[in-house]
Amino acid sequence: MNPVTLLPFIVLIGAMFLMTRSAKKKQAAAAQMRNEMQPGTGVRTIGGMYATVKELHDDTVLLEVAPGVHAIYAKNAIGAVLDDAEYNRIVHGDDEIDGAVVPDDVSSLTEHVEADTDADTDADDADDAKIDLGKKAEADDVEPKDAKADEKSEGKADGEADAK
């Protein structure tokens, strides 16, 4: 056989190998994450439910969904193991966020702009004068109504076409 004819098959097999290799790496990382679970660890299930691990078994996990409410899940149903700070922030609403906090309203974002606008009113007035959003006078850009009526009455009635 000619090596050129085998080239597409070799490329296809190589691509399949690379895809399965990356999928196996993801599966191994997920399995390691699930094996790191300890009782008392906060987790998120693949359905999006947050819970605390109570007991670990071979293929199952006992989760405490709410105080006194327990549910048994398969280990494969655990989507993420969360660290304590993230779990407390999400579930209990602890706001220990480092960095800037987003305000609840827009007023705090515009306070410094209002102070600057008082000093720059002269410059703003000049900018406003440059922008003309009003309509021009009708006499400037509209031809008289009598001229339009004359164009219509050139032998055609309303609704007639120029078809010949």
Side-chain angles (χ1 to χ4, degrees):
M1 289 193 128
N2 191 358
V4 175
T5 58
L6 292 177
L7 187 62
F9 294 111
I10 293 171
V11 170
L12 182 65
I13 291 171
M16 289 174 52
F17 173 74
L18 291 175
M19 285 189 285
T20 57
R21 187 170 148 213
S22 66
K24 285 182 182 180
K25 282 185 179 181
K26 287 180 184 178
Q27 287 177 350
Q32 182 180 356
M33 179 238 353
R34 289 182 188 110
N35 289 333
E36 291 176 356
M37 283 188 297
Q38 299 293 328
T41 306
V43 295
R44 182 182 66 235
T45 65
I46 58 174
M49 183 179 65
Y50 293 92
T52 305
V53 176
K54 284 298 182 182
E55 294 178 10
L56 292 168
H57 301 285
D58 292 334
D59 293 331
T60 60
V61 179
L62 180 67
L63 299 179
E64 184 175 29
V65 183
V69 179
H70 296 83
I72 298 174
Y73 276 81
K75 274 190 177 180
N76 292 338
I78 304 301
V81 177
L82 307 172
D83 61 346
D84 291 337
E86 183 179 6
Y87 180 77
N88 288 333
R89 182 182 60 81
I90 293 170
V91 175
H92 301 297
D94 294 345
D95 293 331
E96 296 180 13
I97 300 173
D98 296 334
V101 176
V102 178
D104 291 338
D105 60 350
V106 182
S107 63
S108 63
L109 298 175
T110 58
E111 287 174 356
H112 69 282
V113 175
E114 291 173 5
D116 292 342
T117 56
D118 293 339
D120 296 335
T121 54
D122 296 335
D124 290 340
D125 292 340
D127 290 340
D128 291 340
K130 293 178 187 175
I131 300 173
D132 183 22
L133 299 176
K135 293 183 179 180
K136 293 183 180 180
E138 290 184 16
D140 293 342
D141 51 331
V142 177
E143 55 186 68
K145 294 180 180 179
D146 296 331
K148 288 184 179 179
D150 292 340
E151 288 177 9
K152 279 188 176 180
S153 63
E154 288 182 3
K156 290 186 251 180
D158 286 344
E160 290 184 6
D162 290 335
K164 292 183 180 180

